[in-house]
């Protein structure tokens, strides 16, 4: 068990670096692009990304997770999944290519036709790349993903900003997206010592699909629900409204993905290795939940406090209307760890059947709420606010099965995450007080951050919070290990 723990810690270290590096680069790029481009162009991108994201779920069909989870996966299995994903991606791209004019006409935006055709090339790129990512994740070799992500982020940043400065408008956003995926794919192929063989094993394909189809349906439900929101906002209201909402969502999602997204893939691989030891799995899931909540909740709370000064300062006054949306999404994504920790635990234990049932439950009430707010009340503000309500309900839904699967009840989970939420609420008081003084924007953001961090960490140390002690001891272990290796 100790060797798995050490390997998991080092994998987490590289995954955190990867997520942080990408988030920082993308933050800078988005700030620059937001100043160069208009909200309606970001709204057009959001519409196209609906088709990209849904298509990516179909292309992978839950098979990447199946490869990570299956302890018996062989080289032939990896090749089998590769060819399956590639065939699906080609068929899906052909469908989007020929339907692009109809999609553009539906939104009364004929200029979307060719950008949509180009950006959906991502289907094929991700099909080529997904097996390499699954293999590296399965082996906990996160350093490879770190290098690929950082290289791709830098190359796509240069191409996107360069195209925007050249006056290419929407095409700059398309170019940035495609360049990132292509650069990442090429970097993975260079680093990973694996290439597909001309092998397709129908028996193994059926086994992997028996696990993966539930994740495919779950992924389609999740992505479809998110996409339906974007499609409805873009059609029912306007591309400008969609641009403001998507911009408000983008930054909290980036912070959440950077922190929680580093912990959860590593946890999936680690849990799948010890899935027969129920007590040890509970310990791992509990640690992941407490650590990610301790990091994400204060980050989201601080971001919500700083948003009124931060958004106009960095993005420009044209984005000031997105501040309320950003603040709501901050609280939505503060709940992210309790969702992902429970769902990844189910995946690691091979319970994709429960995963699917949970998605069906959540999306049933989520879609009803979405339609009532958008089509009944016709209020985009109410629609965004409803995500917070459905998110809170979703924490109970996602946690419920794990009382039986790994012995980790919802009340235990609430007790484990309560300190981070309480300390974040207390630390927000001085930050909000600073925001009301009337200082300049830079001074306000800086003092808010300093007062919040000092209060949060100071109270954590004063109360001898376990999460802080664990993070400090893990950091020391990483530093000591790095010195020993050198």
């Amino acid at each position: 068990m100790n060797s798995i723990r050490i390997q998991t810690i080092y994998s987490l270290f590289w995954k955190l670096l990867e997520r942080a590096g990408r988030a920082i680069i993308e933050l800078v790029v988005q700030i620059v692009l937001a100043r160069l481009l208009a909200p309606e162009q970001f709204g057009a991108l959001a519409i196209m990304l609906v088709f990209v994201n849904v298509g990516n779920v179909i292309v992978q069909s839950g098979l990447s997770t199946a490869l990570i989870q299956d302890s018996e996966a062989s080289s032939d299995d990896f090749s089998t999944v590769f060819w399956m994903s590639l065939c699906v991606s080609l068929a899906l791209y052909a469908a989007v290519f020929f339907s692009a004019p109809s999609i553009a006409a539906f939104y009364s935006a004929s200029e979307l036709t060719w950008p949509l055709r180009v950006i959906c090339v991502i289907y094929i790129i991700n099909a080529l790349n997904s097996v390499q990512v699954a293999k590296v994740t399965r082996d906990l070799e996160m350093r490879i993903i770190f290098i690929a992500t950082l290289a791709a982020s830098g190359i796509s940043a240069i191409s996107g900003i360069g195209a925007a400065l050249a006056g290419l408008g929407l095409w700059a956003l398309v170019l940035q997206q495609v360049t990132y995926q292509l650069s990442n794919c090429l970097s993975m192929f260079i680093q990973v010592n694996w290439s597909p063989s001309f092998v397709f094993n129908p028996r193994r394909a059926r086994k992997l699909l028996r696990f993966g189809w539930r994740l495919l349906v779950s992924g389609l439900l999740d992505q479809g629900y998110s996409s339906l929101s974007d499609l409805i906002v873009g059609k029912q209201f306007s591309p400008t409204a969609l641009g403001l909402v998507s911009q408000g969502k983008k930054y909290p999602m980036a912070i959440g993905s950077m922190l929680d997204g580093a912990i959860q893939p590593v946890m999936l691989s680690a849990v799948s290795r010890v899935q027969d030891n129920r007590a040890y799995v509970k310990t791992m899931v509990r640690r992941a939940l407490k650590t990610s909540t301790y990091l994400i909740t204060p980050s989201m709370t601080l971001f919500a406090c700083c948003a009124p000064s931060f958004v106009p300062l960095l993005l420009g006054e044209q984005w000031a209307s997105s501040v309320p949306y950003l603040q709501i999404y901050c609280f939505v994504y503060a709940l992210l760890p309790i969702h992902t920790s429970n769902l990844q635990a189910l995946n690691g234990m091979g319970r994709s059947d429960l995963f699917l049932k949970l998605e069906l439950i959540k999306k049933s009430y989520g879609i009803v709420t979405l339609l009532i707010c958008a089509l009944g009340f016709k209020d985009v503000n109410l629609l965004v606010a409803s995500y917070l309500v459905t998110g809170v309900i979703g924490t109970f839904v996602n946690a419920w099965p794990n009382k039986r699967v790994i012995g980790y009840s919802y009340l235990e989970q609430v007790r484990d995450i309560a300190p981070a939420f309480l300390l974040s609420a207390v630390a927000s008081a001085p930050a909000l007080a600073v925001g009301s003084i009337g200082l300049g924007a830079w001074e306000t953001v800086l003092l808010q951050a300093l007062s919040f961090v000092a209060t949060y960490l100071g109270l954590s140390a004063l109360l001898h919070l376990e999460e802080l002690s664990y993070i400090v001891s893990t950091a020391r272990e990483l530093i000591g290990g790095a010195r020993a290796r050198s």
Side-chain angles (χ1 to χ4, degrees):
M1 294 298 179
N2 190 51
S3 62
I4 293 177
R5 177 179 176 275
I6 293 172
Q7 191 175 7
T8 300
I9 289 175
Y10 274 99
S11 298
L12 177 59
F13 169 73
W14 285 110
K15 194 66 179 175
L16 280 170
L17 283 183
E18 177 235 324
R19 290 284 180 168
R22 180 178 180 181
I24 292 170
I25 293 173
E26 288 188 348
L27 175 62
V28 173
V29 173
Q30 290 303 316
I31 290 171
V32 174
L33 292 178
R35 288 184 169 274
L36 295 173
L37 303 174
E40 56 265 27
Q41 291 170 326
F42 281 91
L45 176 67
I47 292 172
M48 292 189 292
L49 287 179
V50 166
F51 297 93
V52 171
N53 294 333
V54 171
N56 282 334
V57 173
I58 297 173
V59 168
Q60 296 193 22
S61 304
L63 294 174
S64 295
T65 304
L67 287 174
I68 297 170
Q69 192 276 334
D70 191 349
S71 58
E72 299 177 356
S74 65
S75 179
D76 287 354
D77 294 337
F78 282 88
S79 294
T80 297
V81 169
F82 177 87
W83 296 116
M84 290 170 67
S85 298
L86 182 59
C87 289
V88 171
S89 71
L90 291 170
L92 193 61
Y93 180 72
V96 173
F97 185 91
F98 290 110
S99 61
S102 299
I103 295 170
F106 179 76
Y107 284 95
S108 303
S110 58
E111 69 276 6
L112 282 183
T113 299
W114 275 104
L116 180 60
R117 285 171 168 171
V118 171
I119 200 170
C120 284
V121 172
I122 289 174
Y123 297 159
I124 301 170
I125 298 172
N126 282 347
L128 297 173
N129 196 33
S130 60
V131 172
Q132 276 83 356
V133 174
K135 187 177 189 304
V136 169
T137 303
R138 175 187 170 88
D139 296 336
L140 291 174
E141 294 287 347
M142 300 303 178
R143 180 175 176 273
I144 293 174
I145 297 180
F146 163 73
I147 294 172
T149 299
L150 219 60
S153 297
I155 293 170
S156 64
I158 294 171
S159 63
I161 293 174
L165 289 171
L168 296 184
L170 178 60
W171 280 105
L173 298 173
V174 173
L175 183 63
Q176 184 206 5
Q177 296 286 329
V178 175
T179 304
Y180 174 83
Q181 300 296 342
L182 183 60
S183 302
N184 189 283
C185 181
L186 291 174
S187 180
M188 292 294 292
F189 265 101
I190 291 170
Q191 294 183 85
V192 179
N193 186 24
W194 180 88
S195 58
S197 56
F198 291 97
V199 172
F200 185 85
N201 187 324
R203 182 182 63 82
R204 293 294 295 169
R206 286 192 294 271
K207 180 181 178 181
L208 292 168
L209 280 170
R210 276 197 296 272
F211 178 88
W213 78 266
R214 297 184 182 94
L215 295 182
L216 167 61
V217 177
S218 301
L220 286 175
L221 286 170
D222 186 53
Q223 192 59 59
Y225 172 65
S226 175
S227 300
L228 182 63
S229 171
D230 289 346
L231 292 174
I232 288 177
V233 172
K235 181 66 177 177
Q236 180 75 9
F237 302 101
S238 68
T240 299
L242 177 56
L244 293 170
V245 172
S246 64
Q247 197 77 349
K249 179 181 180 180
K250 184 178 299 179
Y251 300 100
M253 184 171 66
I255 295 174
S257 298
M258 178 182 70
L259 298 172
D260 191 68
I263 294 171
Q264 302 307 334
V266 176
M267 190 189 78
L268 169 62
S269 182
V271 167
S272 66
R273 294 179 176 212
V274 295
Q275 55 190 283
D276 294 331
N277 189 335
R278 186 167 174 260
Y280 192 62
V281 169
K282 177 183 177 180
T283 299
M284 295 179 68
V285 174
R286 185 167 181 252
R287 176 62 66 198
L289 174 60
K290 294 179 70 174
T291 304
S292 54
T293 301
Y294 182 78
L295 295 172
I296 289 174
T297 302
S299 301
M300 294 300 176
T301 307
L302 174 59
F303 199 16
C305 293
C306 295
S309 299
F310 178 82
V311 171
L313 176 66
L314 291 186
L315 303 185
E317 288 294 335
Q318 71 270 30
W319 294 103
S321 299
S322 69
V323 169
Y325 305 135
L326 186 149
Q327 291 174 321
I328 291 172
Y329 277 115
C330 281
F331 291 104
V332 171
Y333 280 97
L335 301 172
L336 185 62
I338 198 168
H339 297 303
T340 53
S341 294
N342 282 285
L343 294 176
Q344 292 289 45
L346 292 176
N347 279 340
M349 297 293 286
R351 297 305 305 269
S352 60
D353 57 327
L354 290 175
F355 193 111
L356 175 57
K357 289 178 182 178
L358 298 183
E359 289 303 315
L360 288 169
I361 293 169
K362 289 183 295 183
K363 296 312 176 282
S364 61
Y365 64 74
I367 290 173
V368 170
T369 304
L370 173 64
L371 294 176
I372 290 174
C373 294
L375 304 182
F377 290 98
K378 297 182 180 180
D379 189 335
V380 67
N381 299 314
L382 185 62
L383 186 151
V384 176
S386 71
Y387 296 149
L388 184 56
V389 177
T390 56
V392 172
I393 297 171
T395 61
F396 173 78
V397 175
N398 286 329
W400 170 71
N402 276 319
K403 180 178 181 179
R404 176 165 51 90
V405 176
I406 61 173
Y408 195 18
S409 70
Y410 184 67
L411 288 179
E412 284 183 280
Q413 295 183 38
V414 170
R415 283 197 297 267
D416 283 340
I417 66 174
F421 278 89
L422 292 174
L423 290 183
S424 296
V426 173
S428 67
L432 291 173
V434 169
S436 64
I437 294 176
L439 300 173
W442 277 114
E443 293 85 353
T444 298
V445 171
L446 181 60
L447 286 177
Q448 283 181 315
L450 289 175
S451 62
F452 186 98
V453 172
T455 304
Y456 188 79
L457 292 180
L459 288 174
S460 297
L462 185 66
L463 297 173
H464 303 288
L465 212 62
E466 178 192 356
E467 291 87 335
L468 178 60
S469 301
Y470 177 76
I471 291 171
V472 171
S473 64
T474 301
R476 287 175 178 169
E477 188 174 350
L478 283 169
I479 295 170
R483 288 175 177 172
R485 289 186 177 188
S486 62

